Amino acid sequence: MTEYFWQDEEGAEQAPDREKEYGMSQTLKCISPIDGSVYAERPVLTLDAAKSAAARARTAQKAWAARPVQERVDLVMAGVAAVGAMNDEIVPELAHMMGRPTRYGGEFGGFNERAGHMASIAVETLADIEVSEDATFKRYIKRIPHGVVFVVAPWNYPFMTAINTVAPALIAGNTVLLKHATQTLLVGERMARAFHSVGIPEDVFQNVFLSHDVTNDLIAGNAFDFVNFTGSVGGGQAMERAAAGTFTGVGTELGGKDPGYVMEDADLDAAVDTLVDGAMFNAGQCCCGIERIYVHESLYDAFVEKAVAIVNGYKLGNPMDAETTMGPMANVRFAQEVRAQIAEAVADGAIAHIETMAQDDGGAYLTPQILTNVTHEMRVMRDESFGPVVGIMKVSSDEEAIALMNDSEFGLTASLWTLDLDRATRVGDELETGTVFMNRADYLDPGLCWTGCKNTGRGGGLSVIGFHNLTRPKSYHLKKVTS
């Protein structure tokens, strides 16, 4: 077996497991960013136990797929509601695991919205595609579930990112194994408990704790029919390497360095409020968070002034405190990477506008930062930061802004600010990205395909296309016997 290093949960670099005797005990530990204590720990499955879980899922899949679509929809939505009923317990649990302040109330709104949209379009989307029928032939295309779907979910929005694939996969007739991030170790257990409580069979939806080696062997051994991974570029590459030669489909949503562009006719206050929030909310740990901003020269000074004022108003602190508006980053190593990017940029001439906050402990609690006088030679404008820092540059034309926005190895979303819909469309058509926003940012619309390009990965979740990616087409060309 090939050893490798991979990054699984949005930049958490992990060493390869070196215990090749997979029966040996290994434990996953969630280290709380609040105080560095071990908040939860779980033993991983042995290779044999993991293979058994996958085999049970495969056995259960045909009976699950044979149920009417509406029955699967109703069960999944009942499971979603059961998660919602746990929200008072989930909110502080998330604060302990990944640092999001309790004042923001958890993720059930988006969790329910995404599952609900996929449920609402399921019957129509999964129906047979009728091509033609006459006296001689009947022709149609069915949507067939892949079989066993493996979902590897990240910690930054642990419920919402998981449901993006879990809900449509189950509704489409697949069985699902969910491997959640170590940083949010308890999320998969919550989902499994909720789904099982409403009647979804235990073998149809399983939460599993796996080492990287066992994960690799399961994928390489064709245990799954489709793999959906959300995380870092390194993690996506590891998934593709494991699947090489198996013909298992792999969908990936990887890194991002999402830009915002404020044109001269933009609503300045709305642009500042939204883009700064998009850069800083969840301590900047958002897949589609804003990481670089380009502002037309006529608005640049005013934009920077307003942005600095907003960030200076944040209260960094313990996420359990109702007054806290920004908690710690999920892990000390994530915060150290952001500090390194900021320090390198300042050393190369960037201007940092936010003074170090009293609660910044040099560890997971990190002062949010706005940088100007930045260039694309700096890592902070090239590498994914995934933290509360944003660089702001002045531009003089659409052409200059387009060139800078496209000057990235990533392509997830781009946010355009203008009163001119046609102009936004023209600029958007030139951008190498998965989603174009106009006058908004950092939002996942379940009616649209969530996708990316370049090193952001391949595939597409949610929308009609999300169902297409979780099924395969099967064509029927039936010749009638006529006398």
Side-chain angles (χ1 to χ4, degrees), residues 198-278:
V198 301
I200 294 175
E202 291 187 5
D203 290 342
V204 167
F205 177 70
Q206 299 179 63
N207 175 62
V208 292
F209 300 111
L210 303 176
S211 70
H212 294 342
D213 279 338
V214 168
T215 299
N216 179 82
D217 279 8
L218 289 175
I219 296 172
N222 277 116
F224 311 116
D225 302 293
F226 187 81
V227 175
N228 191 87
F229 174 83
T230 304
S232 68
V233 173
Q237 290 169 336
M239 293 289 164
E240 290 191 348
R241 284 196 297 268
T246 67
F247 305 111
T248 301
V250 179
T252 51
E253 190 227 303
L254 311 176
K257 194 72 181 174
D258 292 3
Y261 171 34
V262 182
M263 304 178 203
E264 70 276 6
D265 66 337
D267 180 330
L268 179 61
D269 287 337
V272 175
D273 287 345
T274 302
L275 291 175
V276 171
D277 183 68

Side-chain angles (χ1 to χ4, degrees), residues 264-310:
E264 70 276 6
D265 66 337
D267 180 330
L268 179 61
D269 287 337
V272 175
D273 287 345
T274 302
L275 291 175
V276 171
D277 183 68
M280 301 296 172
F281 186 76
N282 206 38
Q285 298 164 134
C286 302
C287 300
C288 57
I290 297 296
E291 296 211 358
R292 48 201 175 105
I293 301 174
Y294 307 98
V295 183
H296 189 270
E297 57 192 4
S298 63
L299 298 179
Y300 177 81
D301 290 339
F303 185 99
V304 172
E305 181 180 357
K306 289 174 180 288
V308 170
I310 290 172

Side-chain angles (χ1 to χ4, degrees), residues 1 142 260 300 302 470:
M1 182 183 129
K142 280 185 174 289
Y300 177 81
L470 290 164

Side-chain angles (χ1 to χ4, degrees), residues 60-77 115 118-128 142-149 163-176 195 200 204 226 462-473:
Q61 190 270 325
K62 286 189 177 181
W64 175 249
R67 299 192 188 202
V69 174
Q70 191 59 54
E71 182 180 338
R72 298 195 300 264
V73 165
D74 292 343
L75 283 168
V76 168
M77 290 311 297
M118 298 306 286
S120 72
I121 66 172
V123 172
E124 180 180 359
T125 303
L126 296 171
D128 295 349
K142 280 185 174 289
R143 301 298 318 182
I144 306 297
H146 288 305
V148 181
V149 172
I163 204 65
N164 289 351
T165 306
V166 170
L170 291 173
I171 289 170
N174 300 285
T175 52
V176 173
F195 282 25
I200 294 175
V204 167
F226 187 81
L462 301 174
S463 77
V464 171
I465 293 171
F467 274 125
H468 289 177
N469 286 336
L470 290 164
T471 57
R472 66 175 178 86

